[in-house]
Amino acid sequence: MSSENKAAAAPTPSDFIRDIVAQHVAEKKYPHIHTRFPPEPNGYLHIGHAKSICLNFGIAREFGGVCNLRMDDTNPTKEDVEYVDSITEDVNWLIGGWADDQLGLKPKGKTPDTITSNGKPDFYLPPSTLDSRPSTGAEPFYASDYFDQIYEYAVALVKKGKAYVCDLTPDETDEYRRQAKESPYRNRSVDENLDLFTRMKNGEFPDGKRTLRAKIDVASPNIWMRDPLIYRIRHAEHHHTGGKWCIYPMYDFAHCLSDYLEGITHSICTLEFEVHRPLYDWILENLDLPRPLPHQYEFARLSLGYTVMSKRKLMQLVNEKLVSGWDDPRMPTISGIRRRGVTPEALRAFAYNIGITKYNGITDVAVLEYAIREDLNKRALRRLAVLRPIKVVLTNYPEGKTEELDAVNNPEDPNAGTRKVPFSRELFIERDDFMETPPPKFFRLKPGGEVRLKYAYIIKCDEVVKDASGKIVELRCTADLDSKTGGPTANRKVKGTIHWVSAAHAIDAECRLYDRLFTEAEPELDGRDFKSVLNPHSLEVVTAKCEPAVAEAKAGRPSEARCQFERLGYFALDKDSSLTPNASRLVFNRTITLKDTWAKEAKKS
């Protein structure tokens, strides 16, 4: 899709960061706008990351720029190729057909070039975009691909007397910084620091024995400026560089330098990094870098009701098997949300609706659910399915007869057309659509009462059949055979309409009825254990009876893999389905109910 067509397809958001970028574009401050999305590959991306992806790629899209995908992989003990692959898949899914033209990658294995900028030696690694991908393949950027250059920058700071090797233990370092005390090693000579830092790199010292610290101001009111660590010893294999390094840069040191090496213009972070910005600027400004420096901007991260966003807590749920995995459809991970059946368009609409601010707050999960319903209402094919079936026998309908009735595929999309639905003497309806002793204003089926079967006839319940335990097993009804569309009594009014499936033609499908993972909007309120408010009813599995058209769902074909089971909710075909002719097994995940049942319960209480 061309950038012109994309711009016409949706309204452009407006917020304080976009206003800054627009001003820079008007001033021609930069040759082009260059953002980045830099997750650490130590877990799966969640919906909070989706907000950042939409912001960073959205800005690149709206201003004709580029957004690099970078793995900020400076901690070898927590990072893994599994997470790199999942991040790449999630980003491609979320930006596909929307901002993939703006995705900045690099040639596989490429590291920064040594160039001359303004008469000085420099390092630079430009991106390749969709129209300039190398035939040898492209990959995300990696902070670990810059370890050689970052090490040289650290040496430069040591030579300028602005970094020193410190022998304090981690606990001692924290205590000295809290008390604004100088390290006893702060005034080592440049030569001694260079020697020790080289020996650190060469592996002479064990983990934790020494660190490299920036020499800034131990009495600064901003604790992040109190001689922060910029390198530590870590004898560990790295997922990308293997065993080449035994010292690794700290995130704050590597992040700003990675931005510089890639030519980033706008480094957009969440609000907790606002206090880190002085350090970001100090590092860049004290290295005599010849090209324009990136600048950091902060916005409020997403906090969503009935959800936890901490990767550590999400990993706890996975490791303790409280969910089935990172892509469990109850999880707020992008892979879980995708598996549940949410579309990238719905997530992008949600990110647009909540906006970008500098104020932390909790977003009502109903805002996300509204975006999902609005999106699926327009695109999901309608199908008939019964989740908790009870049999209905139409005693006046001929045995052995089958009709094919016309049913609308999507009333929101005239081009979706109609389909044929089989109808016969024996049907299934929802158990909840019948009550033997109903309350007032119950307009579904009851003894002696009438309802319309959607797309079919009006029926009347004549007899309730029970088993020995008193459980209702069958309803015997009569149909007004003139009440079908086009019949003499088709316009006869009855107050209730229910869905149904022909018993003879029904196919079975496993339906996983997912709900919110937590029972409280703020699972960690007042420091409580978030696991104490896990929703015990967040998953119910039933075997549904479905119309034959449900079997046409195909994994990987979104228009068919998502559907609305009429009157029940939106469902998506799960990857556990088996669609081979000899071993067909349909598994559907409930994406969301048709209405907000939680709001209804809240009003009752």
Side-chain angles (χ1 to χ4, degrees):
M1 185 188 290
S2 70
S3 58
E4 292 84 358
N5 289 340
K6 285 180 181 177
T12 301
S14 176
D15 53 66
F16 75 97
I17 292 181
R18 285 177 167 91
D19 291 344
I20 291 170
V21 177
Q23 183 177 343
H24 291 163
V25 170
E27 295 169 351
K28 297 185 168 60
K29 184 171 182 175
Y30 304 102
H32 62 271
I33 299 302
H34 201 160
T35 61
R36 83 289 173 271
F37 174 64
E40 183 182 358
N42 64 348
Y44 281 58
L45 299 183
H46 55 61
I47 193 169
H49 295 106
K51 177 180 177 179
S52 180
I53 293 168
C54 292
L55 175 60
N56 280 286
F57 280 93
I59 286 174
R61 175 180 176 271
E62 292 149 28
F63 294 97
V66 175
C67 179
N68 287 3
L69 172 58
R70 180 204 309 151
M71 304 296 161
D72 261 341
D73 54 345
T74 59
N75 188 351
T77 61
K78 292 186 177 180
E79 297 156 355
D80 196 272
V81 173
E82 175 191 351
Y83 302 134
V84 172
D85 293 343
S86 72
I87 288 167
T88 304
E89 181 182 6
D90 289 346
V91 170
N92 285 329
W93 174 77
L94 189 53
I95 69 170
W98 175 69
D100 38 0
D101 291 352
Q102 279 68 47
L103 173 61
L105 301 175
K106 69 180 182 69
K108 203 159 189 170
K110 179 72 173 166
T111 56
D113 293 321
T114 301
I115 62 171
T116 300
S117 296
N118 296 318
K120 293 183 178 181
D122 197 12
F123 303 113
Y124 179 49
L125 183 55
S128 61
T129 51
L130 197 60
D131 56 358
S132 62
R133 296 275 188 263
S135 57
T136 53
E139 65 181 359
F141 291 83
Y142 292 86
S144 56
D145 278 333
Y146 314 145
F147 281 172
D148 287 294
Q149 290 76 27
I150 293 172
Y151 176 78
E152 287 193 36
Y153 290 133
V155 169
L157 286 179
V158 173
K159 288 180 176 179
K160 295 175 76 171
K162 295 187 176 182
Y164 61 95
V165 174
C166 181
D167 295 1
L168 292 176
T169 66
D171 288 342
E172 289 171 339
T173 301
D174 289 345
E175 186 62 26
Y176 272 58
R177 293 181 74 200
R178 272 195 298 272
Q179 295 181 10
K181 284 174 58 178
E182 281 195 9
S183 164
Y185 308 98
R186 192 173 195 265
N187 296 313
R188 275 174 164 153
S189 68
V190 168
D191 287 342
E192 185 181 5
N193 282 319
L194 285 173
D195 174 65
L196 288 171
F197 190 44
T198 301
R199 291 165 64 192
M200 284 170 61
K201 179 174 79 78
N202 293 339
E204 288 190 29
F205 309 119
D207 290 2
K209 180 67 175 176
R210 289 189 163 96
T211 59
L212 185 70
R213 295 175 64 179
K215 193 173 186 179
I216 307 177
D217 178 6
V218 294
S220 171
N222 182 344
I223 197 167
W224 296 101
M225 298 294 281
R226 294 181 183 178
D227 289 11
L229 275 64
I230 57 175
Y231 259 93
R232 80 285 209 201
I233 300 170
R234 189 72 52 92
H235 291 270
E237 283 282 314
H238 189 280
H239 75 96
H240 194 62
T241 61
K244 179 180 177 181
W245 294 89
C246 63
I247 58 170
Y248 292 92
M250 302 298 288
Y251 171 84
D252 279 331
F253 191 60
H255 183 202
C256 57
L257 293 170
S258 299
D259 285 346
Y260 175 78
L261 290 166
E262 295 171 18
I264 301 303
T265 58
H266 297 76
S267 181
I268 303 169
C269 303
T270 45
L271 208 53
E272 66 266 29
F273 290 100
E274 186 172 30
V275 291
H276 297 242
R277 191 184 344 132
L279 177 57
Y280 183 102
D281 294 339
W282 184 93
I283 293 167
L284 296 173
E285 290 166 1
N286 280 275
L287 282 168
D288 301 322
L289 300 170
R291 284 183 292 114
L293 303 181
H295 188 72
Q296 179 177 301
Y297 305 88
E298 304 87 19
F299 69 100
R301 70 191 305 168
L302 173 64
S303 295
L304 190 65
Y306 296 92
T307 308
V308 294
M309 295 289 201
S310 159
K311 279 186 187 177
R312 180 176 59 82
K313 291 183 172 69
L314 295 177
M315 187 172 284
Q316 203 175 338
L317 293 174
V318 173
N319 290 342
E320 295 181 19
K321 302 193 183 306
L322 298 169
V323 293
S324 63
W326 285 100
D327 68 345
D328 186 303
R330 293 167 292 183
M331 289 279 273
T333 55
I334 294 178
S335 58
I337 290 167
R338 177 170 64 245
R339 186 175 179 185
R340 189 157 175 162
V342 177
T343 68
E345 291 85 356
L347 266 192
R348 295 199 298 263
F350 169 67
Y352 169 77
N353 289 336
I354 60 176
I356 302 297
T357 70
K358 290 209 78 162
Y359 306 100
N360 286 320
I362 296 178
T363 298
D364 191 334
V365 72
V367 179
L368 171 63
E369 293 171 345
Y370 174 80
I372 295 169
R373 288 189 183 99
E374 282 289 291
D375 175 79
L376 292 177
N377 184 46
K378 296 170 188 172
R379 72 174 71 240
L381 296 175
R382 274 47 170 179
R383 295 292 182 258
L384 297 176
V386 176
L387 299 181
R388 300 172 182 86
I390 183 173
K391 182 179 276 191
V392 169
V393 178
L394 301 180
T395 55
N396 65 331
Y397 194 89
E399 291 191 39
K401 179 181 176 180
T402 298
E403 290 182 81
E404 289 199 326
L405 308 178
D406 289 322
V408 175
N409 282 327
N410 188 341
E412 302 292 322
D413 179 10
N415 295 323
T418 61
R419 68 190 185 283
K420 297 293 184 182
V421 179
F423 184 91
S424 61
R425 174 184 169 90
E426 295 187 357
L427 311 170
F428 292 117
I429 67 168
E430 288 289 345
R431 189 167 290 274
D432 288 348
D433 281 338
F434 174 80
M435 290 190 75
E436 192 170 14
T437 53
K441 297 186 179 180
F442 181 81
F443 299 127
R444 288 165 282 168
L445 197 58
K446 56 190 175 185
E450 290 185 316
V451 294
R452 179 176 289 280
L453 300 177
K454 191 156 191 183
Y455 307 120
Y457 302 95
I458 295 171
I459 65 170
K460 179 180 180 181
C461 179
D462 302 314
E463 182 184 353
V464 178
V465 180
K466 301 180 181 180
D467 63 15
S469 67
K471 180 182 177 182
I472 298 171
V473 294
E474 184 179 294
L475 304 176
R476 301 186 70 81
C477 303
T478 50
D480 178 350
L481 299 178
D482 292 326
S483 61
K484 189 175 65 170
T485 300
T489 60
N491 294 324
R492 187 158 69 83
K493 301 295 183 184
V494 292
K495 288 190 174 180
T497 299
I498 64 175
H499 62 281
W500 53 274
V501 171
S502 168
H505 304 88
I507 59 171
D508 287 348
E510 178 182 315
C511 287
R512 299 169 180 174
L513 308 180
Y514 291 103
D515 205 340
R516 296 176 184 174
L517 189 55
F518 297 96
T519 58
E520 297 289 338
E522 298 181 63
E524 300 172 272
L525 184 66
D526 298 328
R528 70 181 163 206
D529 179 3
F530 70 101
K531 293 181 294 180
S532 68
V533 290
L534 281 168
N535 180 6
H537 307 296
S538 62
L539 171 60
E540 180 186 0
V541 181
V542 299
T543 299
K545 301 292 184 180
C546 308
E547 66 164 285
V550 169
E552 297 169 7
K554 300 287 191 297
R557 294 176 63 178
S559 63
E560 296 179 1
R562 298 183 184 93
C563 55
Q564 182 197 105
F565 289 167
E566 297 205 42
R567 299 180 62 240
L568 298 173
Y570 295 99
F571 288 75
L573 193 69
D574 187 74
K575 66 180 183 179
D576 288 344
S577 298
S578 170
L579 303 176
T580 57
N582 297 327
S584 180
R585 177 189 177 221
L586 292 173
V587 180
F588 282 90
N589 299 324
R590 183 172 67 190
T591 308
I592 198 164
T593 55
L594 290 184
K595 295 179 180 178
D596 185 351
T597 54
W598 286 73
K600 195 174 182 181
E601 289 301 315
K603 283 180 182 176
K604 283 183 186 176
S605 60

